[in-house]
C-alpha cells in the first residue's frame, strides 16, 4: 500500500503534488481525494476490496495484474475510493524516467471525480447501482474517454514540460509513429475482445488520446483530419465528435441516448 516503497515520503509527496496539479489545471469542482495503494498484486487487492464478487476466477479479475492502475469505488456513497497502482510497473517507469505512471494516476483519479458526479446526477443511493448495472454503460465508456484524455495530457506534460506539451517538432512522430502504433494496438485489442462493450472500451481509449492531441494541435489534427483518419469507421468519427461536443459530464449525461445511437451503428445490444 502507499508508503511501502523506499523512500516512501518521496513517492507520497510526488503523487500528492501531481494530484494537486491535476485539480488546479482542470479546475475540478469539489475534488474527491481517493486513497492510493501501491500494490504488488492488483487482482488480490481487488478481491480483498470486493469479497462478495460472484466470479473471482473470471477473465476480468485474472487480467487485472496487466493494468497499470485500477479505480475501485466503494459500495456506499460516503465511502472511500481506492486507486490501486501496479508497483512493478510504477518502479519500472520511474527507473526509465517514463512518465506514463503520472498518466495512470491522473486517469484513475479522473474516474473517481466522474463517478462521484454521475452518482449525484442520477441520484444513486450506492455506487453499486452504477457498477452492477449495464444501463450505465454509456457513462462507463464516456468516463473512459475522459480519463484517457486527461491521463494522456499529463503524461505529455510531465514528459515534455508544460510549455512543450504541444511542441510542433513532435507532430511528425505523433502522426507517423505514435498513432499508427496505437491504431495497431487498438485493432489487436478489438479483435481479441470478448464483447462489444469491451471493443467499444478500447476505442474509447483511442478517442481520448486523439481528443487531447486535437486540443494540442488543433490546426493540423482538425475535424477533417479526424474524419480521414477514421476512414470508413464513420461511427468512430461520430463518437469522437460527440465527446468533443460534450466533454463535460453533466452535459454529456443528458445526451447518452445519442451516444448509444452512435455506438449501435456498429454494435448490437450495447
Amino acid at each position: 500500500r502507499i508508503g511501502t516503497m523506499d523512500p516512501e515520503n518521496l513517492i507520497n509527496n510526488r503523487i500528492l503534488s501531481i494530484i494537486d496539479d491535476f485539480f488546479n489545471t482542470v479546475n475540478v469542482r469539489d475534488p474527491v481525494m481517493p486513497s492510493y495503494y501501491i500494490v504488488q498484486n492488483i487482482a488480490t487487492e481487488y478481491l480483498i476490496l470486493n469479497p462478495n464478487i460472484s466470479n473471482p476466477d473470471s477473465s476480468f479479475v485474472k487480467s487485472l495484474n496487466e493494468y497499470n492502475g485500477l479505480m475501485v469505488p466503494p459500495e456506499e456513497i460516503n465511502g472511500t475510493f481506492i486507486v490501486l497502482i501496479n508497483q512493478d510497473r510504477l518502479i519500472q517507469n520511474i527507473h526509465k524516467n517514463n512518465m506514463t505512471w503520472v498518466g495512470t494516476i491522473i486517469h484513475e483519479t479522473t474516474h473517481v471525480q466522474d463517478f462521484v458526479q454521475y452518482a449525484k446526477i442520477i441520484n444513486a443511493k450506492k455506487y453499486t447501482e452504477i457498477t452492477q448495472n449495464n444501463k450505465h454503460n454509456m457513462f462507463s465508456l464516456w468516463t473512459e474517454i475522459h480519463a484517457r484524455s486527461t491521463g494522456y495530457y499529463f503524461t505529455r506534460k510531465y514528459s515534455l514540460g508544460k510549455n512543450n506539451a504541444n511542441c510542433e517538432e513532435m507532430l511528425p512522430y505523433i502522426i507517423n509513429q505514435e498513432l499508427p502504433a496505437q491504431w495497431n494496438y487498438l485493432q489487436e485489442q478489438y479483435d481479441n475482445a470478448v464483447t462489444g462493450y469491451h471493443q467499444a472500451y478500447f476505442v474509447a481509449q483511442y478517442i481520448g488520446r486523439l481528443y487531447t492531441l486535437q486540443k494540442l494541435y488543433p490546426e493540423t489534427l482538425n475535424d477533417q483530419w479526424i474524419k480521414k483518419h477514421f476512414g470508413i469507421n464513420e461511427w468512430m468519427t461520430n463518437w469522437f465528435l460527440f465527446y468533443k461536443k460534450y466533454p463535460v459530464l453533466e452535459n454529456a449525461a443528458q445526451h447518452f441516448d445519442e451516444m448509444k445511437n452512435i455506438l449501435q451503428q456498429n454494435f448490437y445490444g450495447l
Side-chain angles (χ1 to χ4, degrees), residues 58-61 63-64 67 70 131 134 137-138 140-141 144 185-206 235-236 239 263 266-270:
S58 69
S59 57
F60 166 71
V61 174
S63 72
L64 292 179
Y67 288 31
L70 178 72
T131 56
N134 288 341
N137 277 350
M138 293 306 108
S140 300
L141 292 170
E144 195 56 37
Y185 176 76
L186 167 59
Q187 285 193 310
E188 181 184 324
Q189 297 298 317
Y190 189 96
D191 291 343
N192 291 330
V194 178
T195 67
Y197 171 83
H198 286 101
Q199 289 179 322
Y201 170 87
F202 290 113
V203 176
Q205 292 186 335
Y206 190 83
W235 67 275
M236 291 186 186
W239 196 11
L263 293 177
N266 187 69
F267 300 104
Y268 294 104
L270 194 63

Side-chain angles (χ1 to χ4, degrees), residues 22 27 34 51 78 83 87 125 130 148 166 180 201-202 228:
F22 165 60
N27 196 23
N78 61 355
V83 170
Q87 179 176 295
K125 301 295 183 285
I130 301 171
R148 176 49 58 101
N166 61 346
Y201 170 87
F202 290 113
K228 185 177 178 182

Side-chain angles (χ1 to χ4, degrees), residues 125-152:
K125 301 295 183 285
K126 292 187 175 185
Y127 285 115
T128 46
E129 291 180 31
I130 301 171
T131 56
Q132 297 177 4
N133 195 322
N134 288 341
K135 77 176 185 178
H136 300 296
N137 277 350
M138 293 306 108
F139 162 71
S140 300
L141 292 170
W142 183 94
T143 186
E144 195 56 37
I145 299 177
H146 188 209
R148 176 49 58 101
S149 68
T150 53
Y152 177 67

Side-chain angles (χ1 to χ4, degrees), residues 34-209:
S35 292
Y36 297 90
Y37 293 172
I38 299 170
V39 300
Q40 291 184 321
N41 192 306
I42 289 182
T44 298
E45 294 289 339
Y46 178 78
L47 290 173
I48 291 171
L49 293 169
N50 294 276
N52 299 321
I53 192 166
S54 57
N55 187 4
D57 294 319
S58 69
S59 57
F60 166 71
V61 174
K62 288 179 178 177
S63 72
L64 292 179
N65 286 326
E66 300 301 313
Y67 288 31
N68 290 327
L70 178 72
M71 185 277 290
V72 184
E75 181 176 334
E76 303 296 334
I77 290 294
N78 61 355
T80 301
F81 282 81
I82 305 293
V83 170
L84 302 175
I85 304 294
N86 186 320
Q87 179 176 295
D88 289 345
R89 297 275 180 91
L90 176 66
I91 293 171
Q92 288 170 12
N93 285 331
I94 289 175
H95 284 167
K96 293 178 182 176
N97 202 29
N98 181 335
M99 292 299 167
T100 55
W101 70 272
V102 173
T104 297
I105 288 166
I106 299 302
H107 182 117
E108 304 306 334
T109 308
T110 300
H111 279 319
V112 172
Q113 314 312 311
D114 288 346
F115 259 75
V116 171
Q117 190 177 0
Y118 186 65
K120 291 176 181 175
I121 289 171
I122 66 168
N123 197 27
K125 301 295 183 285
K126 292 187 175 185
Y127 285 115
T128 46
E129 291 180 31
I130 301 171
T131 56
Q132 297 177 4
N133 195 322
N134 288 341
K135 77 176 185 178
H136 300 296
N137 277 350
M138 293 306 108
F139 162 71
S140 300
L141 292 170
W142 183 94
T143 186
E144 195 56 37
I145 299 177
H146 188 209
R148 176 49 58 101
S149 68
T150 53
Y152 177 67
Y153 171 76
F154 277 85
T155 296
R156 291 185 65 85
K157 179 180 179 180
Y158 279 74
S159 298
L160 303 169
K162 178 181 178 181
N163 296 324
N164 289 320
N166 61 346
C167 169
E168 288 292 327
E169 286 80 23
M170 293 291 293
L171 256 177
Y173 168 79
I174 291 167
I175 292 172
N176 299 320
Q177 294 185 58
E178 178 182 336
L179 284 176
Q182 290 297 324
W183 183 259
N184 288 337
Y185 176 76
L186 167 59
Q187 285 193 310
E188 181 184 324
Q189 297 298 317
Y190 189 96
D191 291 343
N192 291 330
V194 178
T195 67
Y197 171 83
H198 286 101
Q199 289 179 322
Y201 170 87
F202 290 113
V203 176
Q205 292 186 335
Y206 190 83
I207 287 174
R209 179 185 296 265

Side-chain angles (χ1 to χ4, degrees), residues 201-267:
Y201 170 87
F202 290 113
V203 176
Q205 292 186 335
Y206 190 83
I207 287 174
R209 179 185 296 265
L210 269 189
Y211 176 77
T212 286
L213 285 171
Q214 188 185 71
K215 295 274 282 188
L216 293 171
Y217 303 99
E219 292 182 11
T220 303
L221 306 182
N222 55 33
D223 287 350
Q224 283 302 113
W225 185 92
I226 296 290
K227 187 175 182 179
K228 185 177 178 182
H229 180 69
F230 282 130
I232 61 172
N233 302 294
E234 189 176 345
W235 67 275
M236 291 186 186
T237 301
N238 292 339
W239 196 11
F240 176 93
L241 294 174
F242 173 89
Y243 182 80
K244 182 179 177 179
K245 187 176 180 181
Y246 303 114
V248 176
L249 180 56
E250 58 191 349
N251 298 330
Q254 299 175 39
H255 298 276
F256 278 158
D257 284 348
E258 185 182 327
M259 180 171 136
K260 190 170 187 175
N261 288 337
I262 291 169
L263 293 177
Q264 286 180 339
Q265 294 169 16
N266 187 69
F267 300 104

